[in-house]
Amino acid sequence: MKSVLVTGSSGLIGSEVVGYFAARGWAVHGVDNNQRAVFLGPGGDTRWNQRRLTTELPAFTHHELDIRDRDGVLALVATLRPSAIVHAAAQPSHDRAAAIPFDDFDTNAAGTLNLLEAARRACPASPFVHMSTNKVYGDRPNAIARRELPTRWDYADPAFAHGIPEDLSIDQSMHSLFGASKVAADVMVQEYGRYFGMPTCCLRGGCLTGPGHSGVELHGFLSYLVKCNLEGREYRVFGYKGKQVRDNIHSLDVARFIHAFIEAPRAGEVYNLGGGKDNSCSILEAFELVAARSGKAQRYVYVDEPRAGDHVCYYSDLRKMQAHFPGWSVTQSLPETIRQIVGSWTLRSRT
Ligand SMILES: NC(=O)c1ccc[n+]([C@@H]2O[C@H](COP(=O)([O-])OP(=O)(O)OC[C@H]3O[C@@H](n4cnc5c(N)ncnc54)[C@H](O)[C@@H]3O)[C@@H](O)[C@H]2O)c1
């Protein structure tokens, strides 16, 4: 029986991957310690999702472990020797990292090294998928010429008509401490691929979203925006006139790509993984999309100060992913994703 070890298994991506592989007959081992609630407060608590997985999936085993615990990680991977590893545990917030630099770096950089080295010792042939981020590019995308449209920014340079490719420099720009700790992990994952020949890849995520997110102001913008809308709470827009653009990808399409890579792995690869231009929206456009679904106008306040190092316009160029894995494409539209997020928050508010 094939087995997969998923870190961050109670989070958005981890829980989707757990359900995806369990439904396909794999034994699934999850590592999570609800650190999201420690990093981001009670709104970030992911125990509800852990309980859901444990209750619904007989093939799932939860391991209460901190990925910073080097001996614990080495021992678990040595015992399980999984057929694949999906690493989705992280301190995920761009803004939060500056207040907790040691926790951020120890989790994102050293935690990733713990898993890589554990994999090299116990199961070096098993595909290792690392959830990286588009913040590894720092604020370099902001240097691309852009034009202002009525509700969004867009690239004016035709070289970026399809979005941001993987060869954009990750060097000499402002990343936030989060972006920097994720760069360290990203480069290390590539190195275990190139230096040791292990089947590793980095998925540099745009906005990953879906019904399994525990969105808070500091992380998970679409999930949090929907929550604010449903509860009639004010959403704070930080700078760029609310026209900043993000590309949104449903966690199911992330899990589908991870599966495709595990079935046909390469060594030390890097992919920009987002919804692409078709699934992109500005904050102002997101307000309209959510209001169209919920029937409630969005209350918001504008703060005339962008978040440090934030992207003005970012959408992923998906052509490398599609060239390497022609069977993969984005299947969940943005309105459908919003419909599911609305449904999930409505359900959670009743339990
Ligand atoms: N959601 C996004 O928009 C987005 C965008 C780009 C990249 N990513 C990356 O994708 C990955 C998954 O993101 P997500 O949105 O699912 O995050 P999430 O916060 O929903 O899930 C992460 C999970 O990891 C757990 N965790 C954190 N630190 C841990 C530790 N030290 N030990 C054990 N468990 C720990 C948390 O409790 C949480 O359940 C992260 O690496 C993140 O940086 C996410």
Side-chain angles (χ1 to χ4, degrees):
M1 190 183 197
K2 288 185 184 173
S3 64
V4 58
L5 175 63
V6 182
T7 71
S9 47
S10 313
L12 169 76
I13 298 304
S15 64
E16 185 77 53
V17 170
V18 166
Y20 183 95
F21 282 92
R24 282 157 182 79
W26 291 50
V28 185
H29 293 270
V31 165
D32 207 301
N33 64 348
N34 197 27
Q35 193 69 25
R36 184 175 172 91
V38 178
F39 291 146
L40 304 175
D45 198 299
T46 55
R47 291 287 184 209
W48 66 275
N49 218 2
Q50 179 191 329
R51 281 192 292 276
R52 183 180 67 79
L53 298 174
T54 314
T55 310
E56 292 176 5
L57 304 175
F60 175 63
T61 308
H62 176 80
H63 300 268
E64 187 76 17
L65 178 66
D66 192 315
I67 61 163
R68 291 171 288 188
D69 173 357
R70 180 163 295 159
D71 291 341
V73 168
L74 290 170
L76 181 67
V77 178
T79 305
L80 298 177
R81 301 187 67 241
S83 328
I85 296 178
V86 179
H87 176 33
Q91 189 302 104
S93 169
H94 177 90
D95 301 303
R96 182 77 179 119
I100 50 168
F102 293 130
D103 286 334
D104 178 84
F105 196 86
D106 289 347
T107 301
N108 291 352
T112 300
L113 176 61
N114 291 344
L115 281 151
L116 283 167
E117 183 54 24
R120 186 175 78 87
R121 294 182 189 184
C123 51
S126 299
F128 186 108
V129 178
H130 168 65
M131 296 308 301
S132 185
T133 170
N134 63 13
K135 294 294 190 305
V136 300
Y137 297 115
D139 62 1
R140 188 164 287 266
N142 294 354
I144 299 167
R146 57 179 180 268
R147 59 199 170 111
E148 185 173 1
L149 300 174
T151 59
R152 65 159 69 192
W153 298 99
D154 200 357
Y155 304 123
D157 183 342
F160 296 92
H162 295 276
I164 303 291
E166 288 80 0
D167 58 6
L168 194 76
S169 172
I170 63 170
D171 192 16
Q172 298 179 64
S173 58
M174 186 181 2
H175 294 78
S176 81
L177 295 194
F178 161 76
S181 66
K182 294 292 274 190
V183 165
D186 186 301
V187 172
M188 196 61 95
V189 171
Q190 290 185 57
E191 209 54 42
Y192 270 69
R194 294 208 168 82
Y195 193 90
F196 295 122
M198 283 169 56
T200 67
C201 79
C202 299
L203 304 183
R204 295 177 173 167
C207 277
L208 318 179
T209 191
H213 226 176
S214 308
V216 291
E217 185 176 39
L218 287 168
H219 186 247
F221 109 92
L222 196 53
S223 170
Y224 177 68
L225 190 153
V226 169
K227 188 170 196 246
C228 288
N229 178 282
L230 296 177
E231 294 176 356
R233 272 201 273 153
E234 202 167 67
Y235 183 91
R236 292 199 292 171
V237 179
F238 293 95
Y240 304 142
K241 304 183 188 178
K243 296 184 181 184
Q244 53 271 57
V245 170
R246 279 90 184 79
D247 67 333
N248 306 282
I249 184 165
H250 191 294
S251 46
L252 173 62
D253 284 330
V254 177
R256 289 177 51 255
F257 186 82
I258 289 171
H259 189 206
F261 181 85
I262 288 173
E263 292 298 313
R266 294 158 176 258
E269 269 300 354
V270 168
Y271 299 100
N272 287 350
L273 170 78
K277 189 167 188 180
D278 289 348
N279 265 8
S280 70
C281 66
S282 68
I283 307 284
L284 296 180
E285 291 165 355
F287 288 161
E288 293 306 314
L289 286 163
V290 174
R293 166 55 52 185
S294 71
K296 295 180 180 181
Q298 181 73 50
R299 293 178 55 224
Y300 72 96
V301 61
Y302 184 71
V303 182
D304 198 11
E305 175 74 46
R307 295 153 62 221
D310 199 16
H311 293 149
V312 185
C313 179
Y314 189 97
Y315 48 88
S316 315
D317 185 340
L318 303 178
R319 288 178 298 172
K320 181 178 175 187
M321 293 174 69
Q322 283 163 342
H324 286 193
F325 299 95
W328 180 88
S329 62
V330 171
T331 63
Q332 306 293 299
S333 71
L334 187 52
E336 168 58 18
T337 302
I338 288 172
R339 186 191 70 75
Q340 292 183 30
I341 298 173
V342 169
S344 172
W345 278 124
T346 307
L347 199 65
R348 277 188 262 170
S349 69
R350 293 194 195 123
T351 52

